[in-house]
PDB file of all heavy atoms in Angstrom:
ATOM      1  N   VAL A1259      42.096 -18.523 -59.039  1.00  0.00           N
ATOM      2  CA  VAL A1259      42.375 -17.721 -57.858  1.00  0.00           C
ATOM      3  C   VAL A1259      43.526 -18.413 -57.131  1.00  0.00           C
ATOM      4  O   VAL A1259      43.442 -19.606 -56.840  1.00  0.00           O
ATOM      5  CB  VAL A1259      41.141 -17.644 -56.925  1.00  0.00           C
ATOM      6  CG1 VAL A1259      41.453 -16.840 -55.678  1.00  0.00           C
ATOM      7  CG2 VAL A1259      39.935 -17.080 -57.660  1.00  0.00           C
ATOM      8  N   THR A1260      44.590 -17.683 -56.874  1.00  0.00           N
ATOM      9  CA  THR A1260      45.706 -18.229 -56.100  1.00  0.00           C
ATOM     10  C   THR A1260      45.709 -17.530 -54.753  1.00  0.00           C
ATOM     11  O   THR A1260      45.808 -16.301 -54.694  1.00  0.00           O
ATOM     12  CB  THR A1260      47.049 -18.022 -56.825  1.00  0.00           C
ATOM     13  OG1 THR A1260      46.953 -18.539 -58.153  1.00  0.00           O
ATOM     14  CG2 THR A1260      48.172 -18.725 -56.089  1.00  0.00           C
ATOM     15  N   VAL A1261      45.559 -18.323 -53.699  1.00  0.00           N
ATOM     16  CA  VAL A1261      45.514 -17.793 -52.337  1.00  0.00           C
ATOM     17  C   VAL A1261      46.671 -18.393 -51.542  1.00  0.00           C
ATOM     18  O   VAL A1261      46.857 -19.612 -51.558  1.00  0.00           O
ATOM     19  CB  VAL A1261      44.184 -18.138 -51.631  1.00  0.00           C
ATOM     20  CG1 VAL A1261      44.187 -17.631 -50.195  1.00  0.00           C
ATOM     21  CG2 VAL A1261      42.998 -17.588 -52.390  1.00  0.00           C
ATOM     22  N   VAL A1262      47.405 -17.534 -50.853  1.00  0.00           N
ATOM     23  CA  VAL A1262      48.446 -17.990 -49.939  1.00  0.00           C
ATOM     24  C   VAL A1262      47.956 -17.702 -48.527  1.00  0.00           C
ATOM     25  O   VAL A1262      47.545 -16.577 -48.231  1.00  0.00           O
ATOM     26  CB  VAL A1262      49.790 -17.275 -50.196  1.00  0.00           C
ATOM     27  CG1 VAL A1262      50.855 -17.770 -49.221  1.00  0.00           C
ATOM     28  CG2 VAL A1262      50.237 -17.470 -51.635  1.00  0.00           C
ATOM     29  N   ALA A1263      47.959 -18.754 -47.701  1.00  0.00           N
ATOM     30  CA  ALA A1263      47.510 -18.616 -46.315  1.00  0.00           C
ATOM     31  C   ALA A1263      48.514 -19.307 -45.397  1.00  0.00           C
ATOM     32  O   ALA A1263      49.239 -20.204 -45.826  1.00  0.00           O
ATOM     33  CB  ALA A1263      46.122 -19.220 -46.149  1.00  0.00           C
ATOM     34  N   ARG A1264      48.529 -18.884 -44.140  1.00  0.00           N
ATOM     35  CA  ARG A1264      49.404 -19.485 -43.130  1.00  0.00           C
ATOM     36  C   ARG A1264      48.556 -19.982 -41.963  1.00  0.00           C
ATOM     37  O   ARG A1264      47.528 -19.409 -41.645  1.00  0.00           O
ATOM     38  CB  ARG A1264      50.403 -18.461 -42.595  1.00  0.00           C
ATOM     39  CG  ARG A1264      51.435 -18.042 -43.580  1.00  0.00           C
ATOM     40  CD  ARG A1264      52.454 -17.088 -42.945  1.00  0.00           C
ATOM     41  NE  ARG A1264      53.287 -16.485 -43.956  1.00  0.00           N
ATOM     42  CZ  ARG A1264      54.369 -17.051 -44.459  1.00  0.00           C
ATOM     43  NH1 ARG A1264      54.746 -18.213 -44.014  1.00  0.00           N
ATOM     44  NH2 ARG A1264      55.068 -16.455 -45.390  1.00  0.00           N
ATOM     45  N   GLY A1265      49.048 -21.035 -41.342  1.00  0.00           N
ATOM     46  CA  GLY A1265      48.390 -21.572 -40.162  1.00  0.00           C
ATOM     47  C   GLY A1265      48.941 -22.940 -39.843  1.00  0.00           C
ATOM     48  O   GLY A1265      49.811 -23.453 -40.550  1.00  0.00           O
ATOM     49  N   ASP A1266      48.402 -23.546 -38.807  1.00  0.00           N
ATOM     50  CA  ASP A1266      48.807 -24.922 -38.526  1.00  0.00           C
ATOM     51  C   ASP A1266      48.040 -25.841 -39.476  1.00  0.00           C
ATOM     52  O   ASP A1266      47.157 -25.399 -40.228  1.00  0.00           O
ATOM     53  CB  ASP A1266      48.593 -25.275 -37.054  1.00  0.00           C
ATOM     54  CG  ASP A1266      47.143 -25.135 -36.602  1.00  0.00           C
ATOM     55  OD1 ASP A1266      46.234 -25.343 -37.430  1.00  0.00           O
ATOM     56  OD2 ASP A1266      46.918 -24.829 -35.422  1.00  0.00           O
ATOM     57  N   LEU A1267      48.363 -27.127 -39.463  1.00  0.00           N
ATOM     58  CA  LEU A1267      47.743 -28.062 -40.411  1.00  0.00           C
ATOM     59  C   LEU A1267      46.229 -28.106 -40.272  1.00  0.00           C
ATOM     60  O   LEU A1267      45.512 -28.224 -41.268  1.00  0.00           O
ATOM     61  CB  LEU A1267      48.344 -29.462 -40.242  1.00  0.00           C
ATOM     62  CG  LEU A1267      49.768 -29.629 -40.755  1.00  0.00           C
ATOM     63  CD1 LEU A1267      50.284 -31.026 -40.464  1.00  0.00           C
ATOM     64  CD2 LEU A1267      49.847 -29.334 -42.238  1.00  0.00           C
ATOM     65  N   ILE A1268      45.733 -28.000 -39.062  1.00  0.00           N
ATOM     66  CA  ILE A1268      44.278 -28.044 -38.839  1.00  0.00           C
ATOM     67  C   ILE A1268      43.614 -26.848 -39.518  1.00  0.00           C
ATOM     68  O   ILE A1268      42.603 -26.995 -40.214  1.00  0.00           O
ATOM     69  CB  ILE A1268      43.960 -28.077 -37.329  1.00  0.00           C
ATOM     70  CG1 ILE A1268      44.454 -29.408 -36.740  1.00  0.00           C
ATOM     71  CG2 ILE A1268      42.472 -27.883 -37.078  1.00  0.00           C
ATOM     72  CD1 ILE A1268      44.434 -29.472 -35.227  1.00  0.00           C
ATOM     73  N   ILE A1269      44.171 -25.665 -39.336  1.00  0.00           N
ATOM     74  CA  ILE A1269      43.615 -24.446 -39.949  1.00  0.00           C
ATOM     75  C   ILE A1269      43.677 -24.550 -41.466  1.00  0.00           C
ATOM     76  O   ILE A1269      42.698 -24.251 -42.166  1.00  0.00           O
ATOM     77  CB  ILE A1269      44.382 -23.189 -39.475  1.00  0.00           C
ATOM     78  CG1 ILE A1269      44.202 -22.962 -37.982  1.00  0.00           C
ATOM     79  CG2 ILE A1269      43.988 -21.958 -40.274  1.00  0.00           C
ATOM     80  CD1 ILE A1269      42.810 -22.551 -37.562  1.00  0.00           C
ATOM     81  N   LEU A1270      44.830 -24.967 -42.017  1.00  0.00           N
ATOM     82  CA  LEU A1270      44.980 -25.047 -43.476  1.00  0.00           C
ATOM     83  C   LEU A1270      44.029 -26.077 -44.079  1.00  0.00           C
ATOM     84  O   LEU A1270      43.452 -25.846 -45.141  1.00  0.00           O
ATOM     85  CB  LEU A1270      46.433 -25.346 -43.835  1.00  0.00           C
ATOM     86  CG  LEU A1270      47.422 -24.236 -43.452  1.00  0.00           C
ATOM     87  CD1 LEU A1270      48.857 -24.701 -43.656  1.00  0.00           C
ATOM     88  CD2 LEU A1270      47.145 -22.966 -44.230  1.00  0.00           C
ATOM     89  N   ASP A1271      43.841 -27.203 -43.403  1.00  0.00           N
ATOM     90  CA  ASP A1271      42.875 -28.203 -43.880  1.00  0.00           C
ATOM     91  C   ASP A1271      41.450 -27.653 -43.807  1.00  0.00           C
ATOM     92  O   ASP A1271      40.632 -27.908 -44.687  1.00  0.00           O
ATOM     93  CB  ASP A1271      42.993 -29.500 -43.080  1.00  0.00           C
ATOM     94  CG  ASP A1271      44.263 -30.274 -43.406  1.00  0.00           C
ATOM     95  OD1 ASP A1271      44.876 -30.012 -44.469  1.00  0.00           O
ATOM     96  OD2 ASP A1271      44.640 -31.150 -42.599  1.00  0.00           O
ATOM     97  N   GLN A1272      41.168 -26.889 -42.760  1.00  0.00           N
ATOM     98  CA  GLN A1272      39.840 -26.277 -42.614  1.00  0.00           C
ATOM     99  C   GLN A1272      39.589 -25.270 -43.734  1.00  0.00           C
ATOM    100  O   GLN A1272      38.492 -25.207 -44.291  1.00  0.00           O
ATOM    101  CB  GLN A1272      39.720 -25.590 -41.243  1.00  0.00           C
ATOM    102  CG  GLN A1272      38.341 -25.104 -40.932  1.00  0.00           C
ATOM    103  CD  GLN A1272      37.333 -26.234 -40.787  1.00  0.00           C
ATOM    104  OE1 GLN A1272      37.659 -27.312 -40.368  1.00  0.00           O
ATOM    105  NE2 GLN A1272      36.100 -25.971 -41.162  1.00  0.00           N
ATOM    106  N   ILE A1273      40.606 -24.489 -44.091  1.00  0.00           N
ATOM    107  CA  ILE A1273      40.468 -23.533 -45.200  1.00  0.00           C
ATOM    108  C   ILE A1273      40.097 -24.280 -46.472  1.00  0.00           C
ATOM    109  O   ILE A1273      39.169 -23.888 -47.190  1.00  0.00           O
ATOM    110  CB  ILE A1273      41.766 -22.716 -45.389  1.00  0.00           C
ATOM    111  CG1 ILE A1273      41.941 -21.729 -44.235  1.00  0.00           C
ATOM    112  CG2 ILE A1273      41.770 -21.991 -46.736  1.00  0.00           C
ATOM    113  CD1 ILE A1273      43.293 -21.030 -44.211  1.00  0.00           C
ATOM    114  N   GLU A1274      40.815 -25.357 -46.759  1.00  0.00           N
ATOM    115  CA  GLU A1274      40.531 -26.137 -47.975  1.00  0.00           C
ATOM    116  C   GLU A1274      39.108 -26.692 -47.962  1.00  0.00           C
ATOM    117  O   GLU A1274      38.397 -26.617 -48.971  1.00  0.00           O
ATOM    118  CB  GLU A1274      41.552 -27.266 -48.118  1.00  0.00           C
ATOM    119  CG  GLU A1274      41.401 -28.025 -49.416  1.00  0.00           C
ATOM    120  CD  GLU A1274      42.500 -29.048 -49.636  1.00  0.00           C
ATOM    121  OE1 GLU A1274      43.387 -29.205 -48.777  1.00  0.00           O
ATOM    122  OE2 GLU A1274      42.455 -29.700 -50.695  1.00  0.00           O
ATOM    123  N   LYS A1275      38.668 -27.212 -46.837  1.00  0.00           N
ATOM    124  CA  LYS A1275      37.302 -27.762 -46.735  1.00  0.00           C
ATOM    125  C   LYS A1275      36.256 -26.674 -46.937  1.00  0.00           C
ATOM    126  O   LYS A1275      35.247 -26.893 -47.629  1.00  0.00           O
ATOM    127  CB  LYS A1275      37.107 -28.444 -45.382  1.00  0.00           C
ATOM    128  CG  LYS A1275      37.859 -29.748 -45.251  1.00  0.00           C
ATOM    129  CD  LYS A1275      37.727 -30.312 -43.851  1.00  0.00           C
ATOM    130  CE  LYS A1275      38.625 -31.521 -43.697  1.00  0.00           C
ATOM    131  NZ  LYS A1275      38.662 -31.991 -42.309  1.00  0.00           N
ATOM    132  N   GLN A1276      36.480 -25.515 -46.339  1.00  0.00           N
ATOM    133  CA  GLN A1276      35.522 -24.413 -46.480  1.00  0.00           C
ATOM    134  C   GLN A1276      35.482 -23.891 -47.913  1.00  0.00           C
ATOM    135  O   GLN A1276      34.409 -23.567 -48.430  1.00  0.00           O
ATOM    136  CB  GLN A1276      35.862 -23.283 -45.504  1.00  0.00           C
ATOM    137  CG  GLN A1276      35.688 -23.647 -44.049  1.00  0.00           C
ATOM    138  CD  GLN A1276      34.250 -23.996 -43.714  1.00  0.00           C
ATOM    139  OE1 GLN A1276      33.314 -23.352 -44.157  1.00  0.00           O
ATOM    140  NE2 GLN A1276      34.077 -25.038 -42.922  1.00  0.00           N
ATOM    141  N   LEU A1277      36.640 -23.826 -48.573  1.00  0.00           N
ATOM    142  CA  LEU A1277      36.670 -23.403 -49.977  1.00  0.00           C
ATOM    143  C   LEU A1277      35.902 -24.392 -50.859  1.00  0.00           C
ATOM    144  O   LEU A1277      35.176 -23.993 -51.767  1.00  0.00           O
ATOM    145  CB  LEU A1277      38.118 -23.266 -50.471  1.00  0.00           C
ATOM    146  CG  LEU A1277      38.891 -22.062 -49.965  1.00  0.00           C
ATOM    147  CD1 LEU A1277      40.376 -22.202 -50.299  1.00  0.00           C
ATOM    148  CD2 LEU A1277      38.335 -20.770 -50.543  1.00  0.00           C
ATOM    149  N   ASN A1278      36.071 -25.680 -50.588  1.00  0.00           N
ATOM    150  CA  ASN A1278      35.373 -26.713 -51.363  1.00  0.00           C
ATOM    151  C   ASN A1278      33.858 -26.609 -51.247  1.00  0.00           C
ATOM    152  O   ASN A1278      33.135 -27.051 -52.138  1.00  0.00           O
ATOM    153  CB  ASN A1278      35.826 -28.110 -50.934  1.00  0.00           C
ATOM    154  CG  ASN A1278      36.908 -28.651 -51.825  1.00  0.00           C
ATOM    155  OD1 ASN A1278      36.847 -28.518 -53.040  1.00  0.00           O
ATOM    156  ND2 ASN A1278      37.921 -29.245 -51.221  1.00  0.00           N
ATOM    157  N   LYS A1279      33.363 -26.027 -50.159  1.00  0.00           N
ATOM    158  CA  LYS A1279      31.919 -25.880 -49.959  1.00  0.00           C
ATOM    159  C   LYS A1279      31.317 -24.748 -50.792  1.00  0.00           C
ATOM    160  O   LYS A1279      30.108 -24.697 -50.985  1.00  0.00           O
ATOM    161  CB  LYS A1279      31.612 -25.622 -48.483  1.00  0.00           C
ATOM    162  CG  LYS A1279      31.810 -26.829 -47.608  1.00  0.00           C
ATOM    163  CD  LYS A1279      31.445 -26.483 -46.175  1.00  0.00           C
ATOM    164  CE  LYS A1279      31.640 -27.648 -45.251  1.00  0.00           C
ATOM    165  NZ  LYS A1279      31.236 -27.305 -43.870  1.00  0.00           N
ATOM    166  N   LEU A1280      32.169 -23.835 -51.267  1.00  0.00           N
ATOM    167  CA  LEU A1280      31.651 -22.698 -52.019  1.00  0.00           C
ATOM    168  C   LEU A1280      31.130 -23.157 -53.379  1.00  0.00           C
ATOM    169  O   LEU A1280      31.782 -23.927 -54.087  1.00  0.00           O
ATOM    170  CB  LEU A1280      32.737 -21.626 -52.196  1.00  0.00           C
ATOM    171  CG  LEU A1280      33.219 -20.953 -50.915  1.00  0.00           C
ATOM    172  CD1 LEU A1280      34.360 -19.991 -51.216  1.00  0.00           C
ATOM    173  CD2 LEU A1280      32.085 -20.225 -50.218  1.00  0.00           C
ATOM    174  N   GLU A1281      29.970 -22.668 -53.735  1.00  0.00           N
ATOM    175  CA  GLU A1281      29.263 -23.064 -54.949  1.00  0.00           C
ATOM    176  C   GLU A1281      30.063 -22.852 -56.231  1.00  0.00           C
ATOM    177  O   GLU A1281      30.020 -23.662 -57.148  1.00  0.00           O
ATOM    178  CB  GLU A1281      27.959 -22.259 -54.998  1.00  0.00           C
ATOM    179  CG  GLU A1281      27.099 -22.483 -56.181  1.00  0.00           C
ATOM    180  CD  GLU A1281      25.845 -21.646 -56.082  1.00  0.00           C
ATOM    181  OE1 GLU A1281      25.239 -21.580 -54.997  1.00  0.00           O
ATOM    182  OE2 GLU A1281      25.479 -21.042 -57.105  1.00  0.00           O
ATOM    183  N   ASP A1282      30.806 -21.774 -56.305  1.00  0.00           N
ATOM    184  CA  ASP A1282      31.525 -21.418 -57.536  1.00  0.00           C
ATOM    185  C   ASP A1282      32.855 -22.146 -57.711  1.00  0.00           C
ATOM    186  O   ASP A1282      33.471 -22.046 -58.757  1.00  0.00           O
ATOM    187  CB  ASP A1282      31.791 -19.915 -57.558  1.00  0.00           C
ATOM    188  CG  ASP A1282      30.519 -19.101 -57.471  1.00  0.00           C
ATOM    189  OD1 ASP A1282      29.646 -19.306 -58.323  1.00  0.00           O
ATOM    190  OD2 ASP A1282      30.400 -18.273 -56.552  1.00  0.00           O
ATOM    191  N   VAL A1283      33.310 -22.851 -56.675  1.00  0.00           N
ATOM    192  CA  VAL A1283      34.607 -23.524 -56.736  1.00  0.00           C
ATOM    193  C   VAL A1283      34.475 -24.815 -57.535  1.00  0.00           C
ATOM    194  O   VAL A1283      33.678 -25.684 -57.216  1.00  0.00           O
ATOM    195  CB  VAL A1283      35.160 -23.795 -55.325  1.00  0.00           C
ATOM    196  CG1 VAL A1283      36.406 -24.671 -55.387  1.00  0.00           C
ATOM    197  CG2 VAL A1283      35.474 -22.473 -54.623  1.00  0.00           C
ATOM    198  N   VAL A1284      35.271 -24.919 -58.600  1.00  0.00           N
ATOM    199  CA  VAL A1284      35.258 -26.086 -59.484  1.00  0.00           C
ATOM    200  C   VAL A1284      36.333 -27.093 -59.058  1.00  0.00           C
ATOM    201  O   VAL A1284      36.108 -28.298 -59.073  1.00  0.00           O
ATOM    202  CB  VAL A1284      35.491 -25.634 -60.952  1.00  0.00           C
ATOM    203  CG1 VAL A1284      35.578 -26.818 -61.888  1.00  0.00           C
ATOM    204  CG2 VAL A1284      34.399 -24.670 -61.385  1.00  0.00           C
ATOM    205  N   ASP A1285      37.510 -26.587 -58.670  1.00  0.00           N
ATOM    206  CA  ASP A1285      38.626 -27.465 -58.318  1.00  0.00           C
ATOM    207  C   ASP A1285      39.601 -26.698 -57.429  1.00  0.00           C
ATOM    208  O   ASP A1285      39.755 -25.487 -57.576  1.00  0.00           O
ATOM    209  CB  ASP A1285      39.342 -27.933 -59.597  1.00  0.00           C
ATOM    210  CG  ASP A1285      40.432 -28.951 -59.337  1.00  0.00           C
ATOM    211  OD1 ASP A1285      40.203 -29.884 -58.545  1.00  0.00           O
ATOM    212  OD2 ASP A1285      41.524 -28.815 -59.928  1.00  0.00           O
ATOM    213  N   ILE A1286      40.244 -27.424 -56.512  1.00  0.00           N
ATOM    214  CA  ILE A1286      41.275 -26.836 -55.662  1.00  0.00           C
ATOM    215  C   ILE A1286      42.493 -27.737 -55.728  1.00  0.00           C
ATOM    216  O   ILE A1286      42.388 -28.956 -55.614  1.00  0.00           O
ATOM    217  CB  ILE A1286      40.827 -26.721 -54.192  1.00  0.00           C
ATOM    218  CG1 ILE A1286      39.625 -25.804 -54.048  1.00  0.00           C
ATOM    219  CG2 ILE A1286      41.978 -26.221 -53.319  1.00  0.00           C
ATOM    220  CD1 ILE A1286      39.096 -25.710 -52.630  1.00  0.00           C
ATOM    221  N   LYS A1287      43.663 -27.103 -55.901  1.00  0.00           N
ATOM    222  CA  LYS A1287      44.943 -27.813 -55.838  1.00  0.00           C
ATOM    223  C   LYS A1287      45.802 -27.133 -54.788  1.00  0.00           C
ATOM    224  O   LYS A1287      45.780 -25.907 -54.670  1.00  0.00           O
ATOM    225  CB  LYS A1287      45.687 -27.745 -57.174  1.00  0.00           C
ATOM    226  CG  LYS A1287      45.026 -28.448 -58.306  1.00  0.00           C
ATOM    227  CD  LYS A1287      45.869 -28.272 -59.567  1.00  0.00           C
ATOM    228  CE  LYS A1287      45.073 -28.694 -60.777  1.00  0.00           C
ATOM    229  NZ  LYS A1287      45.789 -28.429 -62.013  1.00  0.00           N
ATOM    230  N   LYS A1288      46.548 -27.928 -54.053  1.00  0.00           N
ATOM    231  CA  LYS A1288      47.583 -27.383 -53.177  1.00  0.00           C
ATOM    232  C   LYS A1288      48.858 -27.377 -54.006  1.00  0.00           C
ATOM    233  O   LYS A1288      49.269 -28.416 -54.520  1.00  0.00           O
ATOM    234  CB  LYS A1288      47.761 -28.243 -51.933  1.00  0.00           C
ATOM    235  CG  LYS A1288      46.565 -28.205 -51.008  1.00  0.00           C
ATOM    236  CD  LYS A1288      46.785 -29.040 -49.782  1.00  0.00           C
ATOM    237  CE  LYS A1288      46.433 -30.470 -50.137  1.00  0.00           C
ATOM    238  NZ  LYS A1288      46.395 -31.364 -48.990  1.00  0.00           N
ATOM    239  N   LEU A1289      49.461 -26.214 -54.174  1.00  0.00           N
ATOM    240  CA  LEU A1289      50.696 -26.108 -54.941  1.00  0.00           C
ATOM    241  C   LEU A1289      51.869 -26.367 -54.003  1.00  0.00           C
ATOM    242  O   LEU A1289      52.240 -25.511 -53.202  1.00  0.00           O
ATOM    243  CB  LEU A1289      50.805 -24.741 -55.614  1.00  0.00           C
ATOM    244  CG  LEU A1289      49.711 -24.417 -56.630  1.00  0.00           C
ATOM    245  CD1 LEU A1289      49.956 -23.049 -57.256  1.00  0.00           C
ATOM    246  CD2 LEU A1289      49.616 -25.497 -57.703  1.00  0.00           C
ATOM    247  N   GLU A1290      52.402 -27.569 -54.089  1.00  0.00           N
ATOM    248  CA  GLU A1290      53.493 -28.006 -53.216  1.00  0.00           C
ATOM    249  C   GLU A1290      54.835 -27.552 -53.778  1.00  0.00           C
ATOM    250  O   GLU A1290      55.056 -27.630 -54.986  1.00  0.00           O
ATOM    251  CB  GLU A1290      53.484 -29.534 -53.095  1.00  0.00           C
ATOM    252  CG  GLU A1290      52.168 -30.130 -52.608  1.00  0.00           C
ATOM    253  CD  GLU A1290      51.895 -29.887 -51.137  1.00  0.00           C
ATOM    254  OE1 GLU A1290      52.829 -29.477 -50.413  1.00  0.00           O
ATOM    255  OE2 GLU A1290      50.748 -30.092 -50.720  1.00  0.00           O
ATOM    256  N   PRO A1291      55.750 -27.124 -52.918  1.00  0.00           N
ATOM    257  CA  PRO A1291      57.099 -26.768 -53.384  1.00  0.00           C
ATOM    258  C   PRO A1291      57.736 -27.972 -54.091  1.00  0.00           C
ATOM    259  O   PRO A1291      57.600 -29.106 -53.656  1.00  0.00           O
ATOM    260  CB  PRO A1291      57.847 -26.435 -52.088  1.00  0.00           C
ATOM    261  CG  PRO A1291      56.783 -26.129 -51.091  1.00  0.00           C
ATOM    262  CD  PRO A1291      55.591 -26.953 -51.479  1.00  0.00           C
ATOM    263  N   GLY A1292      58.404 -27.706 -55.196  1.00  0.00           N
ATOM    264  CA  GLY A1292      59.047 -28.775 -55.966  1.00  0.00           C
ATOM    265  C   GLY A1292      58.121 -29.445 -56.967  1.00  0.00           C
ATOM    266  O   GLY A1292      58.576 -30.013 -57.949  1.00  0.00           O
ATOM    267  N   ARG A1293      56.824 -29.375 -56.726  1.00  0.00           N
ATOM    268  CA  ARG A1293      55.844 -29.973 -57.639  1.00  0.00           C
ATOM    269  C   ARG A1293      55.034 -28.905 -58.348  1.00  0.00           C
ATOM    270  O   ARG A1293      54.048 -29.204 -59.010  1.00  0.00           O
ATOM    271  CB  ARG A1293      54.920 -30.920 -56.869  1.00  0.00           C
ATOM    272  CG  ARG A1293      55.697 -32.075 -56.224  1.00  0.00           C
ATOM    273  CD  ARG A1293      54.795 -33.075 -55.646  1.00  0.00           C
ATOM    274  NE  ARG A1293      54.001 -33.644 -56.738  1.00  0.00           N
ATOM    275  CZ  ARG A1293      53.200 -34.671 -56.594  1.00  0.00           C
ATOM    276  NH1 ARG A1293      53.077 -35.247 -55.438  1.00  0.00           N
ATOM    277  NH2 ARG A1293      52.506 -35.130 -57.617  1.00  0.00           N
TER     278      ARG A1293
END
């Protein structure tokens, strides 16, 4: 699943933490520009 979201750093970090809590989530990567 590729999700694009916008927000300040606090919101974006909160999104990542909440996604990690979901039972079906195996791994999360932040796709950084250039990498």
Side-chain angles (χ1 to χ4, degrees):
V1259 178
T1260 307
V1261 177
V1262 180
R1264 291 184 191 276
D1266 59 31
L1267 288 177
I1268 293 169
I1269 295 291
L1270 295 172
D1271 288 342
Q1272 188 65 31
I1273 289 171
E1274 186 174 1
K1275 288 175 187 172
Q1276 293 298 318
L1277 286 169
N1278 264 317
K1279 288 182 181 182
L1280 295 176
E1281 178 179 316
D1282 302 304
V1283 172
V1284 176
D1285 185 44
I1286 298 177
K1287 294 179 193 175
K1288 292 181 276 189
L1289 298 182
E1290 304 288 347
R1293 299 188 63 172

